[in-house]
Amino acid sequence: MAKQKKQNKQLDFSTYIRWFWMLFLSGVLLVVLLFSLASWGVFGEMPDHTQLENPRTNLATEIISSDGKTLGKYYFNDNRTPIGYDELSQQLIDALIATEDARFHDHSGIDARGTLRAFFFLGKRGGASTISQQLARQLFVGVRSKNKLETATQKIKEWVIAIRLERQYTKEEIIAQYFNIYDFGNNGDGIRSASRIYFNKEPKDLDLKESAMLVGMFKNSSLYNPREHRNPEGTRNRRNVVLAQMAKYDYITDEVKDSIQKLDLGLNYSPESHREGIATYFRAYLQDFMKKWVNDDDNLKPDGTKYNIYKDGLKIYTTIDSRMQQYAENAVQQHMPRLQKEFLHQNTKDRNPTAPFLEITYGAIDTLMKRAMRRSERWRKMKYDLKKSDKEIIASFDKPIAMSIFSWEGEIDTIMKPIDSMRYYKSFLHPAMMSMEPQSGHVKAWVGGMNYKHFQYDMVKQGKRQIGSTFKPFVYATAIDQLHLSPCDTFPRSQITIEANKFGNPEPWAPRNEGSDYDGFLTLKQALANSVNTVTARLMDKVGPQPVIDLAHNLGVEQDILAVPAIALGTPELSVYEMVAAYSTFANKGVYTKPVMITSIEDKNGTILFQVAPETKDVLSEETAYVTVNLLEGVTQGGSGARLRHNGAAKQAVYKEIITGYPYEFDNPIAGKTGTTQNQSDGWFMGMVPNLVTGVWVGAEDRAAHFRTITYGQGASMALPIWALFMKSCYEDETLSISKDEFEKPNELSIRVDCSIQEDPDKKKIEEDDEPEIDF
């Protein structure tokens, strides 16, 4: 009996063993079957080898400065720029592994220990998703379904893809991809964008505190959003959890953990959008260029399709220097608020009932505003998008609405009639500035306005305004080239009249000098330095307008210029872009170099798609160019640009109010020219040193808005301070190597430029009736 019982027990035990192995093997077979079914795509489409190797992600096009900094990006939804493992800080990597996958280096995509723990404790003691699984979900699986069955199949797909990823990539590549794919919020797609947006740093420069915060956001970037109006306290707490995990796994000590947990987040929020950041006007110009470039049939992808500048991860290497661009924008930000404050002070309703306009009738103002109304974006949208009638649109301009308006103290949220907001904006003075290396043509700084969000019209290349006396060097250069004149040659200051129809002018032309001074003689250097109109008119009378126009066109001026004598005083309307390129020819020994903004374009893999070849042409002899530069040096030595050097006028009101940064006290060679148009509507300053030419323009949108007197409205007051502030910053930055040397003198110089040296006694002053022979 006892023996029978013993046999029964053995039979029962062996049955249990069999059942155990049957269940175990069934489980293994089930897992194998599930993995196989998932691999075959039964649970949904699975990525093939090619897709694993090249995951489909939208990559932003990156704009890179000449000094290797990111100026901005073009993107629709994904502001993503991938980086490699070696571009991540070690703190980022340690924080990620400690928080998300402590055994990352010990598994092949699935953490068996973590999976069993999650299964038996139903996830209450932590999840089991490895970094590889999370990457698989981000790249190929998508958002977790609320349906339990779908959730289970998604999990199986993640396991399969994670194992494939581990076979396809190294551990380092998986970590880099995971950092690159995650959306950190606020347009921070990927770790590079996130580190720049939240801390204004590259990922490799992030410290422990910053790294822990960003890794903490992997849990839920919408919930753990560090910005003030979202959840900074929750983000701080989550960061501290990451630090605790790092201490737990011995990446940091408890002392370090405790000290950093007490710190604030330390954000340096720097949003990346098309309307914010550095070089916004240049980026807008570049965007238009790229749209044309991708639509050119010569620039197609290997598969014959067009590149997408918002999704294909192109890299555009530009000539802009991020340091110089920042100095240029800083100069504008320093000077323009002071200039604007004085302008508004002089144009209050009490002082000027038609403010901000001067010397204009109410009827003319009404016409001006109606014209502006029809050119506005509001009119375009209501007319063409909403199909409103003209009457309805006009009525809408008189209905108060909520809006955010620009001010130099920051945006103002207010309620205002659109017509009133238009008049408000017409009271603003606008700046434009471009800086270029004359030898290479590389544009180093481009400021098309003061705030791209509110003023999107680019005054560097789009806008063209009368250039005033900055046109005079073209007349002088033509005369030097044709007549072999010297800066030391003297001309009478007296009035001159060019008779009607001599050069196509229908009326006699007799320009006046500022201050009505017509006595004595002046050297050419003195005449240009003090911008004496009558001497310029005499030169125009001797060479004629057409050779001057031909020279201007050879110097890069694009539009037609009417061949009449009055152009000598700057009636043509040109852009800052054209003026800087033209003046650069003088500094480059008479060789015109077309401005270059892009050096090359690469695809996301680094393949060069486009390279710029410099375009140059000989325009003037080296001697003529040098003599013209010598004349322009006189402007800053003792003429209208002399305030760049002296410091004796600080007690004058205008210097305290709007000559921002005065005294400047430059002591190096500077060639330059101020320009002021009729009624002080436009102020210009063109300044040159041997390896940098910079042009600045300041003026209101409408010429009827201007300073009442030339004291405030001249180029030396409105534009020159921006140039001076910019150049002082450039010189303080020794890494830029901006020249302080003399302009290089030609080896063979036959024209006398040093007026202290006695000339040939047989040579006489050029009298009013002298007519040198001209070789056209």
Side-chain angles (χ1 to χ4, degrees), residues 177-207:
Q177 283 196 60
Y178 187 55
F179 272 114
N180 285 328
I181 198 64
Y182 192 73
D183 179 0
F184 292 86
N186 298 305
N187 290 327
D189 299 301
I191 189 63
R192 185 157 188 260
S193 295
S195 61
R196 287 169 55 84
I197 287 170
Y198 291 119
F199 299 108
N200 198 22
K201 290 183 177 181
E202 293 297 327
K204 64 183 178 182
D205 299 323
L206 293 170
D207 61 26

Side-chain angles (χ1 to χ4, degrees), residues 83-155:
I83 60 171
Y85 181 85
D86 58 347
E87 296 176 82
L88 299 168
S89 72
Q90 190 60 46
Q91 291 97 325
L92 270 174
I93 297 165
D94 294 343
L96 177 68
I97 293 174
T99 308
E100 298 292 331
D101 191 355
R103 288 178 291 279
F104 175 69
H105 289 289
D106 301 325
H107 63 68
S108 298
I110 300 175
D111 181 5
R113 180 175 160 186
T115 301
L116 290 173
R117 182 195 65 219
F119 179 78
F120 284 115
F121 294 101
L122 302 177
K124 293 180 180 178
R125 295 192 180 180
S129 286
T130 63
I131 291 173
S132 304
Q133 288 174 240
Q134 293 179 54
L135 177 60
R137 182 167 68 246
Q138 293 274 351
L139 287 174
F140 302 109
V141 179
V143 179
R144 183 78 76 224
S145 172
K146 294 182 179 179
N147 182 287
K148 291 185 178 180
L149 180 60
E150 289 182 2
T151 299
T153 58
Q154 283 181 324
K155 195 68 178 176

Side-chain angles (χ1 to χ4, degrees), residues 400-419:
I401 58 172
M403 64 176 68
S404 178
I405 59 174
F406 170 81
S407 81
W408 279 111
E409 288 74 39
E411 286 189 349
I412 300 172
D413 293 325
T414 186
I415 295 175
M416 184 182 288
K417 294 178 182 179
I419 192 68

Side-chain angles (χ1 to χ4, degrees), residues 460-515:
V460 166
K461 201 167 192 296
Q462 283 182 295
K464 297 179 186 289
R465 298 294 288 258
Q466 284 190 346
I467 56 174
S469 293
T470 55
F471 191 84
K472 289 177 180 176
F474 303 156
V475 180
Y476 278 70
T478 304
I480 293 166
D481 188 50
Q482 297 287 344
L483 308 176
H484 213 65
L485 296 178
S486 161
C488 308
D489 289 338
T490 56
F491 281 74
R493 197 200 302 254
S494 60
Q495 280 193 294
I496 176 176
T497 298
I498 296 179
E499 62 269 23
N501 300 312
K502 181 175 182 179
F503 296 113
N505 48 307
E507 303 288 338
W509 183 61
R512 298 170 58 85
N513 289 334
E514 182 68 29

Side-chain angles (χ1 to χ4, degrees), residues 476-489 524 543 621 623-624 627 748-752 763 766 772-775:
Y476 278 70
T478 304
I480 293 166
D481 188 50
Q482 297 287 344
L483 308 176
H484 213 65
L485 296 178
S486 161
C488 308
D489 289 338
L524 281 185
V543 300
S621 69
E623 182 178 52
T624 298
V627 173
E748 295 183 8
L749 183 63
S750 62
I751 298 176
R752 185 165 65 102
K763 188 170 182 179
I766 299 177
E773 184 177 346
I774 304 173
D775 179 14

